[in-house]
Amino acid sequence: MSAVKIGYARVSTKDQSLDIQIKALQRAGCKLIYQEKVSGVGRTRPEFEKMMQQISKDDVLIIWRLDRLARSTRVLLETVEKLEEKGASFKSLEEPWADTTSASGRLVMTFFSGMAEFERDLIRDRTDVGRRTALDRGVTFGRPAKMTEEHLKLARK
């Protein structure tokens, strides 16, 4: 099967229209357009999931704007990574820098990926420092013990 331009259009509520997105995706040459009227906040997007299963090597996922695909940088990068694993590409019509079909677009996405990883490392470092500080103050983590010292003595007998 040859490469296909696949579009994804999403609006958040049933009252909103997909028309602008669909027309833009058609002008971009999308032969197949997955459409959804569902909030991007939720993790369940059935048409998105179906589309991600259908995408294959050399296909290009085209979206109108980034916020139609992902609500966070992390979700965007996870999606781009899944596409790369399949040998597919990604392109946003309104954000020309978000385009893994070009060398400069791949560079920008690599930069964002590196920044996201750097941010995760910083969060982990701050969390570790906070945890060590709390332990030094005598804070105990986890669920409180259900067994009292008396229960433990009884169990040891």
Side-chain angles (χ1 to χ4, degrees):
M1 189 171 155
S2 62
V4 178
K5 289 183 177 180
I6 299 171
Y8 177 69
R10 183 187 62 78
V11 290
S12 299
T13 66
K14 302 273 186 213
D15 297 336
Q16 294 175 313
S17 172
L18 291 161
D19 292 348
I20 293 171
Q21 293 178 55
I22 291 169
K23 287 177 183 167
L25 294 169
Q26 287 170 337
R27 280 193 305 274
C30 292
K31 302 296 180 208
L32 181 59
I33 300 174
Y34 289 84
Q35 305 173 36
E36 221 154 28
K37 290 191 175 193
V38 62
S39 171
V41 176
R43 296 294 277 177
T44 55
R45 296 184 289 167
E47 288 299 307
F48 174 78
E49 296 301 325
K50 186 172 20 171
M51 176 193 67
M52 289 300 287
Q53 290 174 359
Q54 299 291 324
I55 287 179
S56 59
K57 186 174 176 9
D58 297 327
D59 288 345
V60 180
L61 168 58
I62 301 178
I63 57 167
W64 180 54
R65 287 187 6 203
L66 287 175
D67 66 343
R68 300 299 85 205
L69 180 69
R71 298 284 284 187
S72 70
T73 303
R74 182 182 54 80
V75 173
L76 171 64
L77 293 172
E78 286 173 359
T79 302
V80 171
E81 186 176 314
K82 287 177 188 173
L83 291 168
E84 287 175 354
E85 289 169 1
K86 291 175 169 257
S89 300
F90 163 76
K91 184 175 188 172
S92 170
L93 298 176
E94 292 292 312
E95 294 94 359
W97 54 266
D99 178 0
T100 64
T101 66
S102 72
S104 58
R106 284 189 300 278
L107 174 64
V108 170
M109 294 309 289
T110 299
F111 174 76
F112 278 136
S113 181
M115 289 301 294
E117 187 174 335
F118 175 68
E119 182 180 11
R120 284 190 300 272
D121 288 346
L122 287 177
I123 291 168
R124 185 174 48 250
D125 289 348
R126 285 192 302 262
T127 302
D128 288 346
V129 168
R131 188 178 307 113
R132 283 193 301 270
T133 303
L135 287 171
D136 290 345
R137 290 192 324 260
V139 173
T140 56
F141 294 96
R143 299 175 90 184
K146 292 224 175 203
M147 295 183 75
T148 65
E149 190 59 38
E150 190 176 304
H151 289 120
L152 288 171
K153 286 179 187 177
L154 182 61
R156 287 184 191 118
K157 285 184 182 178

